[in-house]
Amino acid sequence: MVCVFFGGLLSPFYLHAQLDSNHQLHQVMIKGYRFSGFHTGSFLQNIDLENKAFQFNQNIHQILSLNAGVFIKNGGPSLLASSASRGSTAQQTSTVWCGIPIESPMLGQTDLSMLPSFLFDGIGVLYGAQSSLFGSGNIGGTIQLNHSNHLKKGLHTELLMGIGSFNEFSQGVKLTYARNKISTQFKLLNQFTGNNYTFEIDGIGKQRMQHASTKQIALMQEFNYTPNRLHSFDLKIWLQKNNRLLPDLLGATKDEAIQNNNFNRTILTYKFSKGNYQLQSRTALFNEFFDYSSVTTPLTNTRFLQISQGLDQSWRYKNHHILLSGQYQYIRGFTDNFISEKSYHQPSVLLTVQSSWFNHQLETQINIRKQWYNLTNIPIVPGFGYKWQITNWLSLNGNVGAGFRMPTLNDLYWNPGGNQTLKPEQSISVETGIVIKNEYYQIRLNAYNKTCNDQITWTSSSSGFWQAENINQVEVNGFELIWQLEKKWFGLPFGFRGQHDYCLALNKAQTNATTFDKQLMYVPKIKHLIQFEIGIKKFKLQYVHQYVGQRFYTSDNSEALPDYQLGNVFLHKQFNFKMYSGISMQLGILNCWNKQYQNILNRPMPGRQLNFTINYQF
């Protein structure tokens, strides 16, 4: 039935087109980023992970913290790390791998600390509401985990070894083989961190973190077969096992919590390209198993199955680029806190038209998404974006769109507290920006406004347990200043980059006078990120400075964690000896000023950390 539905919906009326001489060259396939190029008017930030040794032994949340404007909410190295973009919640920023969302349908978010950057070639952060493109959960932004197809011909090997403070050890291997029509890539990473760092408590003195070690083993296998210029097949298999001990809150009794997470994810992609027409099919099967136990909580098991099928077809007609897409998703999940196993079906249809006008000076994009949740009919989700290239050095851009997020399985069925009458969160977002750039520098200023209604919040009920309700109404206003300068002075390459964020996220629900018009909890109003880089011969020195403003941890804004500043230094050396041309070494000092701080209340973060990485490619 599903195949008939998508076959009838997405079959084009014609498949023949005249060959265009501009398309005779071999096309480069961008792997991993669904709807590549269809983000007119939105701010897309790309983070390249290839050939950067200092990023190979870090997880995705550390990469984002050092390179992007999203706020990472993390209680420590062995605890869950989630992202929040433009005043959104963790459930409102989706993480997508090869076009398929990977967040847990139970929680509605992804633990970024479980995603090693060694497995990927790049990250794309798409800011703002993208629900009209990607569906539920993309109110605040979308994080794309990308892969590259730029594999060198022949057999190549890459070895990684890293050691660091607090008993940190990393070992990784990457094997690639490529010929004219076939390529394969194998990646294996093993990481262990004791996390036995020291911290200070006012009035008590230095303490050592206990029961906080983590172990992670990840494997990814990729196969690509391109028999000719028309067809391409790509298979990715991702297996991972995560084991971690969870430390107790400061002042709490010992709970000795243990968390184990295992998953396997498989995606098969088929691509057909001919002239101005392209068809892409993605089939995904995800299985995830999660268990938790502690002194006070018996063993709790959670598991879910996700099956996804997506069909995207696009073609160009004169100055228009048209995308017609359909996706079907089936989710089945169970946890010991459910009365029985739960499931849902989520089909959707997307139409996007991207057009250029006035000799390509103006580009517009219209998105229309229709989605269903079981038999629930979700209203049409529209979006519109534009980019106006006024001169070679000045452009304006902006977008407006609706967003939504469906309740998670825990929101609906957790016992006790689940609420099956919950409505989807709904938002309206408006963004505008200006970009000034020349050969040496680029400046971008974005301003945005977002209103979100029926936001789902877990509150304490009169019966004494927590319950999910649609009570929060949120309004967010903010702006972002992003700049970079790259130039040579005295024969040396210098690079300066900065991202400065102001975000006012206010609770507009009038049900409680003490919380009305107050900043949302754990949303900093101000963030700064500044990077400096200089190259001297084969040495590269980089300094990254982070500033995070105060975060309220009470809804009435009566109590807050103080702001903090972190400095991070990386010294990289590339060796040029003939037989060691592929060796690079990296010395990193994180939190070099040894700042004592907390990202979340009663969760002390580590002080100064040293790590040393060797990367050998041959």
Side-chain angles (χ1 to χ4, degrees):
M1 181 66 182
V2 175
C3 295
V4 173
F5 170 75
F6 280 107
L9 171 67
L10 296 177
S11 294
F13 294 102
Y14 54 88
L15 289 178
H16 301 285
Q18 294 181 347
L19 290 177
D20 187 337
S21 61
N22 293 329
H23 295 273
Q24 294 303 301
L25 296 177
H26 179 68
Q27 295 185 9
V28 176
M29 182 170 63
I30 300 176
K31 298 182 180 180
Y33 183 26
R34 196 177 184 204
F35 309 143
S36 177
F38 286 97
H39 50 80
T40 301
S42 299
F43 175 34
L44 173 64
Q45 187 174 17
N46 288 307
I47 304 172
D48 181 20
L49 298 179
E50 292 187 277
N51 303 317
K52 291 188 177 180
F54 71 89
Q55 296 180 340
F56 280 154
N57 64 336
Q58 295 181 340
N59 289 329
I60 293 297
H61 77 287
Q62 296 169 305
I63 301 297
L64 292 174
S65 175
L66 294 172
N67 294 276
V70 296
F71 174 61
I72 301 299
K73 184 179 176 182
N74 178 221
S78 60
L79 296 172
L80 180 145
S82 60
S83 62
S85 177
R86 294 182 172 179
S88 63
T89 65
Q91 292 85 358
Q92 293 175 344
T93 301
S94 179
T95 303
V96 177
W97 174 55
C98 297
I100 307 295
I102 63 172
E103 57 264 14
S104 166
M106 322 296 283
L107 299 173
Q109 60 181 299
T110 305
D111 187 352
L112 300 175
S113 70
M114 292 186 179
L115 307 180
S117 63
F118 183 76
L119 301 181
F120 311 101
D121 301 314
I123 305 173
V125 182
L126 194 55
Y127 293 83
Q130 303 297 331
S131 292
S132 61
L133 273 180
F134 295 98
S136 174
N138 293 271
I139 291 177
T142 306
I143 298 172
Q144 303 272 344
L145 305 178
N146 300 334
H147 296 272
S148 171
N149 67 330
H150 300 295
L151 299 181
K152 297 179 182 179
K153 287 188 177 182
L155 178 64
H156 299 275
T157 303
E158 180 178 320
L159 301 177
L160 170 75
M161 185 186 74
I163 59 174
S165 301
F166 321 130
N167 291 328
E168 178 184 345
F169 303 96
S170 301
Q171 306 90 32
V173 59
K174 183 186 298 184
L175 302 174
T176 63
Y177 177 74
R179 295 182 63 183
N180 292 331
K181 296 182 179 182
I182 299 176
S183 66
T184 181
Q185 189 166 204
F186 171 83
K187 301 175 184 177
L188 177 65
L189 179 70
N190 178 61
Q191 292 189 119
F192 174 82
T193 306
N195 289 321
N196 56 343
Y197 55 89
T198 59
F199 57 91
E200 289 193 23
I201 302 178
D202 292 341
I204 298 179
K206 286 188 176 182
Q207 301 288 312
R208 184 172 293 278
M209 181 61 66
Q210 304 288 332
H211 197 78
S213 64
T214 65
K215 185 175 182 180
Q216 189 176 72
I217 301 176
L219 180 152
M220 185 174 289
Q221 178 69 65
E222 305 175 44
F223 300 96
N224 180 261
Y225 175 54
T226 308
N228 51 51
R229 303 175 111 192
L230 300 180
H231 306 278
S232 178
F233 300 87
D234 186 83
L235 175 66
K236 287 184 173 62
I237 301 171
W238 178 5
L239 308 176
Q240 191 162 315
K241 183 176 182 180
N242 307 282
N243 307 103
R244 55 188 178 185
L245 308 181
L246 305 182
D248 300 315
L249 284 167
L250 291 183
T253 57
K254 285 191 175 182
D255 206 22
E256 297 183 355
I258 302 174
Q259 178 180 300
N260 298 308
N261 172 258
N262 304 314
F263 62 76
N264 55 79
R265 297 167 178 161
T266 302
I267 293 181
L268 174 63
T269 303
Y270 164 71
K271 183 177 180 181
F272 171 82
S273 300
K274 185 174 182 180
N276 291 326
Y277 175 76
Q278 184 179 104
L279 172 69
Q280 194 158 3
S281 168
R282 283 182 172 90
T283 305
L285 175 63
F286 295 171
N287 272 292
E288 187 158 346
F289 307 89
F290 179 95
D291 62 69
Y292 173 89
S293 63
S294 69
V295 172
T296 58
T297 305
L299 179 64
T300 302
N301 294 287
T302 300
R303 64 179 185 269
F304 71 83
L305 167 72
Q306 176 178 328
I307 301 174
S308 301
Q309 173 63 58
L311 290 174
D312 307 329
Q313 62 174 351
S314 64
W315 59 93
R316 294 184 181 273
Y317 175 73
K318 296 183 179 180
N319 292 331
H320 308 285
H321 194 185
I322 303 168
L323 170 70
L324 181 60
S325 173
Q327 185 164 343
Y328 172 81
Q329 194 173 69
Y330 171 73
I331 301 290
R332 186 177 71 226
F334 175 78
T335 180
D336 290 339
N337 289 91
F338 290 178
I339 297 177
S340 62
E341 192 174 68
K342 304 299 180 182
S343 64
Y344 64 84
H345 304 261
Q346 193 167 251
S348 63
V349 183
L350 167 69
L351 174 65
T352 296
V353 180
Q354 190 179 73
S355 306
S356 61
W357 314 89
F358 310 117
N359 198 24
H360 304 288
Q361 279 190 301
L362 177 65
E363 185 177 287
T364 61
Q365 180 174 316
I366 299 174
N367 307 320
I368 300 175
R369 170 177 285 272
K370 180 64 177 176
Q371 189 157 329
W372 295 263
Y373 183 91
N374 283 343
L375 298 178
T376 303
N377 189 6
I378 300 173
I380 290 177
V381 183
F384 171 78
Y386 73 91
K387 179 182 178 182
W388 180 20
Q389 192 70 44
I390 301 175
T391 67
N392 291 333
W393 56 271
L394 177 65
S395 63
L396 299 177
N397 55 77
N399 64 78
V400 58
F404 72 99
R405 184 181 78 85
M406 298 303 300
T408 67
L409 290 178
N410 283 2
D411 292 334
L412 295 170
Y413 304 113
W414 189 267
N415 183 33
N419 183 356
Q420 298 183 43
T421 65
L422 288 173
K423 297 179 290 186
E425 299 179 354
Q426 299 185 41
S427 71
I428 299 293
S429 298
V430 180
E431 175 185 353
T432 186
I434 182 172
V435 179
I436 302 172
K437 64 179 181 179
N438 68 7
E439 181 182 357
Y440 302 110
Y441 67 84
Q442 177 173 311
I443 301 173
R444 182 183 187 111
L445 179 64
N446 300 321
Y448 58 87
N449 169 269
K450 177 182 69 179
T451 57
C452 185
N453 297 317
D454 296 322
Q455 190 160 303
I456 299 171
T457 305
W458 282 74
T459 59
S460 179
S461 67
S462 57
S463 303
F465 60 84
W466 292 81
Q467 182 174 351
E469 296 181 283
N470 294 107
I471 59 172
N472 266 11
Q473 316 294 319
V474 176
E475 181 177 351
V476 181
N477 292 282
F479 64 84
E480 303 158 336
L481 174 64
I482 305 99
W483 57 270
Q484 66 179 39
L485 170 64
E486 295 182 353
K487 196 172 182 180
K488 279 191 174 183
W489 283 293
F490 311 106
L492 302 177
F494 286 81
F496 302 87
R497 301 174 187 85
Q499 186 156 343
H500 313 274
D501 302 271
Y502 175 81
C503 180
L504 192 64
L506 302 180
N507 183 1
K508 292 296 183 178
Q510 300 186 16
T511 55
N512 189 335
T514 61
T515 61
F516 175 72
D517 226 23
K518 302 296 184 181
Q519 182 81 354
L520 297 184
M521 291 193 298
Y522 290 108
V523 177
K525 292 183 181 179
I526 299 175
K527 301 195 309 294
H528 300 291
L529 179 66
I530 299 176
Q531 299 176 326
F532 164 75
E533 186 178 289
I534 181 175
I536 304 176
K537 295 183 178 180
K538 295 301 178 180
F539 285 91
K540 182 184 292 184
L541 176 66
Q542 184 182 42
Y543 177 77
V544 182
H545 194 85
Q546 302 166 268
Y547 172 85
V548 177
Q550 68 173 2
R551 288 89 57 226
F552 296 105
Y553 58 83
T554 56
S555 56
D556 62 358
N557 290 183
S558 59
E559 301 288 343
L561 291 172
D563 59 348
Y564 62 85
Q565 300 188 55
L566 303 178
N568 310 275
V569 179
F570 302 95
L571 178 63
H572 176 77
K573 168 65 175 176
Q574 179 75 38
F575 288 90
N576 280 336
F577 302 116
K578 185 175 181 181
M579 62 181 300
Y580 302 113
S581 59
I583 288 186
S584 58
M585 295 185 179
Q586 173 77 41
L587 175 64
I589 308 176
L590 302 175
N591 191 4
C592 62
W593 310 120
N594 201 29
K595 174 68 176 179
Q596 298 290 315
Y597 70 103
Q598 295 180 20
N599 203 317
I600 297 176
L601 182 65
N602 292 327
R603 294 290 189 184
M605 298 293 286
R608 184 183 297 114
Q609 308 164 64
L610 302 177
N611 61 59
F612 179 70
T613 305
I614 300 177
N615 184 257
Y616 181 22
Q617 301 180 23
F618 57 94

